[in-house]
Amino acid sequence: MSFEIDLSGKVALITGVTSGIGSGAAKAFARAGAKIAGCGLETKESSEAIAFLEEMKLAGADAVYSCTDLTRPDQINALTEEVLACYGRIDILVSNAGANVFEGAENCSEERWMENHQLNLTSHWRLAKACKPALERQDGTIIIMSSNHAFSSIPGCFPYNITKTALTGLVRSLAIEWGPAIRTVGLSPGFIDTPGNQTWFNSFDDPQQEKEKTIGLHPVKRLGTTTEIGGWCVFLASEYAAFASGVTYLIDGGRSALMQD
Ligand SMILES: NC(=O)c1ccc[n+]([C@@H]2O[C@H](COP(=O)([O-])OP(=O)(O)OC[C@H]3O[C@@H](n4cnc5c(N)ncnc54)[C@H](O)[C@@H]3O)[C@@H](O)[C@H]2O)c1
């Protein structure tokens, strides 16, 4: 007998599907048979949104896309209502969208701090609250995308690392307050090969050399893929992970196991 995850009939609301990890998660849930409600900052007419819908079609998945700015509470409510009007249910929330704001503790302005907290922290709480009644009806699952920066960081990656650390607290609070009707878990990916991360490497004089140096810090000797993180999301939403709750899982290619000297 093969080991299978079948999410057919379920609806997964995934944020940030127009790029990177969100796109990888959408493809993984589509392969598992779920219906996908995706959102991103890009318009419905953008090449990224069109590519998302085409990928979903190729995978044989029923999918919709909404242009949503998750820093706006009114748009979060509109997104949730739109998904419910379209599919009538939400079984899984993958709260993934976020941005790298790397300013440093001394140089970070109040504006940049607030801006990053609005997206990387507050929007996850607001979206979870907006989806709560629908998730409760389905014994739903919330997966919150944190980062390896929740556990250790690099000088200058402030306030991003603060927001990602706080998300591990959000995962614990939702798990203990909203369980057992809703199960909440977090994922902390390490370096995943995405456009977001390429921007980080591009900030160095020699991006290729920096990338190779980073790869060398990983026992697995490569960066992670969006397919792998998508697979983790599907597993965490499945019956096989039903005993997982309140914890944020670190998926970092072994990087944190290597002591720096
Ligand atoms: N790439 C990595 O190595 C890595 C590692 C750890 C954690 N993460 C986290 O994973 C998540 C996705 O990262 P990525 O590298 O795939 O990002 P990315 O930059 O490739 O894509 C970001 C996505 O979020 C959406 N988005 C951005 N601002 C938004 C807003 N205000 N409202 C709605 N949508 C918005 C974009 O439209 C896009 O779809 C982020 O939370 C990030 O912090 C990424």
Side-chain angles (χ1 to χ4, degrees):
M1 196 175 80
S2 61
F3 186 85
E4 247 183 38
I5 294 178
D6 180 6
L7 300 177
S8 51
K10 295 193 186 286
V11 174
L13 168 53
I14 307 173
T15 67
V17 293
T18 48
S19 177
I21 289 175
S23 161
K27 285 182 215 158
F29 277 100
R31 281 202 305 279
K35 294 185 175 76
I36 314 295
C39 81
L41 257 191
E42 294 73 13
T43 63
K44 267 189 179 160
E45 297 72 31
S46 67
S47 55
E48 293 89 346
I50 290 167
F52 158 71
L53 288 171
E54 274 171 6
E55 277 156 3
M56 295 300 97
K57 202 169 160 189
L58 269 177
D62 191 346
V64 287
Y65 176 81
S66 157
C67 169
T68 305
D69 181 351
L70 292 163
T71 64
R72 300 262 312 269
D74 56 328
Q75 294 199 16
I76 285 184
N77 292 335
L79 168 70
T80 313
E81 281 161 21
E82 203 179 313
V83 178
L84 287 173
C86 182
Y87 291 129
R89 61 192 283 166
I90 302 170
D91 299 82
I92 300 150
L93 167 63
V94 182
S95 196
N96 160 74
N100 295 349
V101 174
F102 296 160
E103 300 282 356
E106 189 174 358
N107 292 334
C108 183
S109 65
E110 295 272 337
E111 289 73 23
R112 292 288 276 163
W113 165 277
M114 288 304 291
E115 179 193 309
N116 201 212
H117 276 70
Q118 283 295 317
L119 178 62
N120 283 16
L121 179 58
T122 314
S123 79
H124 294 272
W125 168 56
R126 285 184 180 141
L127 181 60
K129 267 201 301 182
C131 293
K132 182 174 181 273
L135 288 167
E136 271 171 345
R137 288 195 287 275
Q138 310 301 336
D139 284 333
T141 306
I142 299 175
I143 299 166
I144 292 182
M145 204 57 69
S146 179
S147 159
N148 58 342
H149 283 262
F151 301 105
S152 56
S153 196
I154 298 171
C157 293
F158 179 105
Y160 175 84
N161 65 318
I162 307 292
T163 65
K164 294 299 185 177
T165 307
L167 285 180
T168 66
L170 180 65
V171 166
R172 283 190 290 274
S173 285
L174 300 190
I176 62 176
E177 292 189 22
W178 296 359
I182 300 173
R183 201 164 50 82
T184 305
V185 285
L187 265 184
S188 276
F191 254 105
I192 309 302
D193 219 349
T194 61
N197 258 343
Q198 195 51 45
T199 312
W200 159 261
F201 290 125
N202 290 344
S203 70
F204 292 86
D205 290 341
D206 188 339
Q208 193 51 34
Q209 191 189 45
E210 190 61 28
K211 195 167 186 174
E212 279 158 23
K213 196 176 100 192
T214 301
I215 287 171
L217 296 172
H218 292 74
V220 299
K221 298 299 175 214
R222 64 175 178 84
L223 302 183
T225 68
T226 60
T227 307
E228 287 165 331
I229 300 303
W232 271 85
C233 291
V234 166
F235 167 70
L236 286 173
S238 77
E239 72 210 76
Y240 301 108
F243 199 51
S245 177
V247 172
T248 297
Y249 297 93
L250 178 61
I251 319 294
D252 72 346
R255 183 175 179 181
S256 59
L258 179 67
M259 198 177 279
Q260 311 291 311
D261 60 16

